[in-house]
Amino acid sequence: MRVNKSLIPTLKEEPSDAEVTSHKLMIRAGLIRQLSAGIYTFLPFGWRAMLKAINIIRQEMNAIGGQELLMPSLNPTELWHETGRDQDMKDILFSIKDRDFLLAPTHEEIISDVARREIRSFRELPQIWYQIQTKFRYEPRPRFGLLRCREFIMKDSYTLCATQEQLDELYNLHEYAYRRIFTRCGLKYVVVGASSGMMGGSGSQEFMVPSEAGEDRTAFCEKCGYAANTEIAQGILEPFEPAEIMGKKKVHTPNLRTVEEVSEFLKIPRAQMLKSLLYVAEKDDLPVMILIRGDQQLNEEKLVQYLKSPIRPAHPEEVQQWLGAPAGFIGPVNAPDSIKILADKSYPVDVPFATGANEKDYHIIGYTLSETKVDDTGDFRIINEGEKCVECGNPLKVRVTIEIGHIFKLGTKYSESMGALFQDSEGAQKPIIMGSYGIGVGRILSSAIELFADESGIVWPITIAPFEVIITALDITNDKIKEVAEKLYNKLLSEGMDVLLDDRDERAGVKFKDADLWGIPIRITVGKLTAEDKVEVVLRRDTANRMAVDIEMAVAKVKELRLMLYNEIESSAKKIEVKNLSKK
RNA sequence: CGGGGCGUGGCGCAGUUUGGUAGCGCACAUGGUUUGGGACCAUGGGGUCGGAGGUUCAAAUCCUCUCGCCCCGACCA
């Protein structure tokens, strides 16, 4: 491809509406343009990088036996009604006005529909079906360029199995494929335990790239390798030194509603306060009170997981109506039976606590959890950096990360509700055991840029770079320079390389700045050195190290560097192995 | 959806407080001089000031409504 007459528009100035590095650079380097919030056009440069990543994904999915197919984005709403997700996911669904269709945010329903029509016997299982396709989600807040979009390209695959063992096997194969994909894309990442959220199912892991531009927080242990999204991460909390509380009594606490205010007033440590929060499980409209140690925070995701329902904080009127007191003065003691009470295990059962009295301007002290009505105890807490690892006791670290992939063991949630059944060897009808696995392709690009960019622009891993080599022909009006550049360009093309020829009639500075911005791994500069029959070869990641190379040797040199860049990446991909089931 | 901010040539911004009929830099066009790290000079083209309504002799500027975008919070690949 030649730069002259091509659509690769670069910007000198930072776009005003971009916040993070990858977003700024994608706009500046001419990879993408925004059409609307969270909706982007991929310009030729951006699309080339996408295609490179897609190609790697396709190769690795095929390698584990995946069969590529393509399902429609337009889905009959009726199909989504079968699983109830037309309601459960209505906040993020794009629905078609005046027609009973929606734009698919994911494809469990469609896969299940295909399966129930086509799969009859255990002999046809297992299956891996995947597609690479545009998804639509009405994200309440699109952000950070391709990191969070309303329309985005996803690789989604689905496994159909007859047994749990098959599911475990295909799940592990996906983990293996994902490791290879992200490694081959040149990314640094960690695999962490994750919540399965609204997808349902028994287990899941996320692939996380450490980056300040991320929207997830991952807790991990440097000693034993424990790693989990803070949505589900567990840690061991230091016990606190309780103040002595004699007897049970009600105390007047006028206008003191926060944990801090009451703890200061009563001279009781914050940790000894029993924080009482009222939520509503939206599925059954069930009021739920959560009790948690006063210095800790509720992890709403853990609560959602436990209740298996979306939740919302109770409205102030509801709190007043159900407990007879405003928020800030509520507690478990004397709460009506209609309210489900859940205690976080962070509060010891035998230590007297202080909490709301369910009466305005009053708290009560001296009760213990062992004598309070509690329906269940569990882990509902957000962990903090420095807490001890549950596996080995080492202090945990918490880092911001970008989620680039997620794998789920779904189980039979969709096959049961949609009647995707198979006949086992004994002739019994059973629901197909499913798994689902996603990769955000755009996020691969964003992550790579976040990881490797420098002050001058993007630095692509060669495997996903829009081009492998750029020839910067300075002073294209000089016949010799033009001739050498053209010759090299055609030679490299015939060697099968992705080459970009900057043949614009621009000053050297402009071309160098653009080349840096684009981040193409290998650059050949054809300029004044042609007088000595030489060109200059540099790596984008190390522009200080310029190599003067004889023109006849230039192609060989580029081949050598290119091979080296690929080998760096491929050699680490080769080390990846399928997790052996029998070992664990 | 709650809170905050911003909409002015393609891009980045000033002008709005105190109404007087739109300006700067980049980009673009033409000519000339330059030519290995975003050149310089001259000339030129391009804007319903997000949209609608209102106040006024007069609105980018004041008022009302509305749309869009960005940021902070709850969701996800």
Side-chain angles (χ1 to χ4, degrees), chain A residues 334-383:
Chain A
N334 301 325
D337 287 343
S338 56
I339 295 179
K340 189 182 179 78
I341 298 180
L342 301 173
D344 180 74
K345 64 185 180 193
S346 58
Y347 201 93
V349 292
D350 50 357
V351 174
F353 54 74
T355 193
N358 293 328
E359 184 178 341
K360 187 169 166 22
D361 292 339
Y362 286 95
H363 280 73
I364 54 170
I365 58 174
Y367 287 82
T368 65
L369 278 179
S370 55
E371 55 197 6
T372 307
K373 173 190 167 284
V374 171
D375 293 298
D376 203 359
T377 302
D379 177 27
F380 302 112
R381 190 171 63 81
I382 296 177
I383 75 149

Side-chain angles (χ1 to χ4, degrees), chain A residues 325-582:
Chain A
F329 300 102
I330 64 172
V333 181
N334 301 325
D337 287 343
S338 56
I339 295 179
K340 189 182 179 78
I341 298 180
L342 301 173
D344 180 74
K345 64 185 180 193
S346 58
Y347 201 93
V349 292
D350 50 357
V351 174
F353 54 74
T355 193
N358 293 328
E359 184 178 341
K360 187 169 166 22
D361 292 339
Y362 286 95
H363 280 73
I364 54 170
I365 58 174
Y367 287 82
T368 65
L369 278 179
S370 55
E371 55 197 6
T372 307
K373 173 190 167 284
V374 171
D375 293 298
D376 203 359
T377 302
D379 177 27
F380 302 112
R381 190 171 63 81
I382 296 177
I383 75 149
N384 308 299
E385 175 145 333
E387 281 186 28
K388 300 238 169 70
C389 171
V390 287
E391 304 276 338
C392 73
N394 202 46
L396 292 170
K397 293 227 153 93
V398 175
R399 290 288 176 275
V400 183
T401 51
I402 299 170
E403 181 189 351
I404 49 174
H406 200 160
I407 57 181
F408 296 91
K409 290 181 182 176
L410 285 179
T412 55
K413 173 176 170 177
Y414 299 93
S415 48
E416 270 176 42
S417 58
M418 295 193 60
L421 308 175
F422 71 98
Q423 204 169 36
D424 71 9
S425 55
E426 263 118 58
Q429 291 285 323
K430 288 188 174 162
I432 295 170
I433 301 171
M434 295 173 59
S436 102
Y437 316 83
I439 291 178
V441 184
R443 283 186 181 177
I444 291 179
L445 306 195
S446 298
S447 301
I449 294 172
E450 292 290 341
L451 282 171
F452 307 117
D454 62 20
E455 327 71 54
S456 306
I458 299 172
V459 181
W460 290 109
I462 194 166
T463 47
I464 56 172
F467 291 92
E468 297 166 324
V469 185
I470 179 168
I471 302 173
T472 305
L474 305 180
D475 192 9
I476 200 79
T477 59
N478 176 312
D479 287 342
K480 176 148 190 199
I481 289 177
K482 185 169 163 59
E483 187 194 319
V484 170
E486 290 283 348
K487 202 181 268 176
L488 281 174
Y489 176 61
N490 287 315
K491 198 78 197 300
L492 293 170
L493 279 181
S494 67
E495 294 280 347
M497 296 191 208
D498 285 326
V499 195
L500 183 67
L501 173 62
D502 193 343
D503 54 351
R504 291 174 296 175
D505 184 11
E506 286 285 355
R507 294 167 63 86
V510 173
K511 297 189 185 185
F512 287 138
K513 289 287 183 190
D514 277 346
D516 287 348
L517 189 55
W518 288 327
I520 297 166
I522 303 168
R523 185 179 88 204
I524 306 175
T525 307
V526 184
K528 63 186 179 193
L529 291 185
T530 45
E532 313 161 27
D533 291 320
K534 286 180 192 295
V535 292
E536 190 177 88
V537 179
V538 293
L539 292 180
R540 171 61 181 86
R541 69 184 184 194
D542 184 18
T543 41
N545 186 11
R546 304 177 181 183
M547 295 162 270
V549 180
D550 288 342
I551 290 171
E552 315 80 87
M553 299 302 295
V555 172
K557 185 68 188 173
V558 169
K559 279 171 80 171
E560 175 198 327
L561 290 171
R562 176 175 177 265
L563 194 64
M564 178 192 83
L565 293 176
Y566 273 104
N567 277 344
E568 284 176 4
I569 291 173
E570 296 295 345
S571 67
S572 31
K574 281 204 186 85
K575 293 183 193 136
I576 298 168
E577 292 176 355
V578 184
K579 200 186 275 172
N580 193 336
L581 275 175
S582 56

Side-chain angles (χ1 to χ4, degrees), chain A residues 178-415:
Chain A
Y178 276 34
R179 285 182 183 274
R180 283 199 44 101
I181 289 165
F182 298 133
T183 302
R184 288 187 63 199
C185 288
L187 301 179
K188 297 174 186 158
Y189 61 91
V190 288
V191 188
V192 311
S195 147
S196 24
M198 288 303 295
M199 303 293 285
S202 56
S204 83
Q205 284 170 294
E206 288 167 329
F207 293 74
M208 294 289 202
V209 174
S211 162
E212 284 306 310
E215 298 186 280
D216 285 275
R217 300 171 65 75
T218 298
F220 62 96
C221 172
E222 285 174 328
K223 196 167 161 199
C224 73
Y226 172 79
N229 195 309
T230 51
E231 288 173 350
I232 63 152
Q234 302 193 354
I236 298 165
L237 199 55
E238 289 294 329
F240 63 94
E241 199 57 50
E244 200 159 331
I245 296 178
M246 303 300 285
K248 304 174 175 34
K249 58 184 171 195
K250 191 161 83 173
V251 290
H252 191 47
T253 51
N255 286 321
L256 303 176
R257 36 181 75 232
T258 67
V259 168
E260 297 91 280
E261 289 165 354
V262 180
S263 115
E264 197 173 313
F265 180 76
L266 294 175
K267 305 276 186 284
I268 287 174
R270 281 182 63 178
Q272 202 172 354
M273 299 287 304
L274 193 63
K275 198 189 276 187
S276 308
L277 303 163
L278 196 62
Y279 275 75
V280 176
E282 294 188 292
K283 208 152 144 195
D284 311 312
D285 258 331
L286 175 73
V288 182
M289 184 184 285
I290 299 92
L291 309 177
I292 193 161
R293 204 173 106 172
D295 61 344
Q296 297 299 311
Q297 301 250 297
L298 170 69
N299 184 330
E300 294 192 353
E301 181 60 30
K302 286 182 180 175
L303 184 58
V304 168
Q305 286 291 299
Y306 175 88
L307 293 169
K308 304 207 181 336
S309 159
I311 56 169
R312 62 170 172 83
H315 301 311
E317 313 83 65
E318 291 170 336
V319 177
Q320 181 69 45
Q321 186 191 332
W322 293 330
L323 292 165
F329 300 102
I330 64 172
V333 181
N334 301 325
D337 287 343
S338 56
I339 295 179
K340 189 182 179 78
I341 298 180
L342 301 173
D344 180 74
K345 64 185 180 193
S346 58
Y347 201 93
V349 292
D350 50 357
V351 174
F353 54 74
T355 193
N358 293 328
E359 184 178 341
K360 187 169 166 22
D361 292 339
Y362 286 95
H363 280 73
I364 54 170
I365 58 174
Y367 287 82
T368 65
L369 278 179
S370 55
E371 55 197 6
T372 307
K373 173 190 167 284
V374 171
D375 293 298
D376 203 359
T377 302
D379 177 27
F380 302 112
R381 190 171 63 81
I382 296 177
I383 75 149
N384 308 299
E385 175 145 333
E387 281 186 28
K388 300 238 169 70
C389 171
V390 287
E391 304 276 338
C392 73
N394 202 46
L396 292 170
K397 293 227 153 93
V398 175
R399 290 288 176 275
V400 183
T401 51
I402 299 170
E403 181 189 351
I404 49 174
H406 200 160
I407 57 181
F408 296 91
K409 290 181 182 176
L410 285 179
T412 55
K413 173 176 170 177
Y414 299 93
S415 48

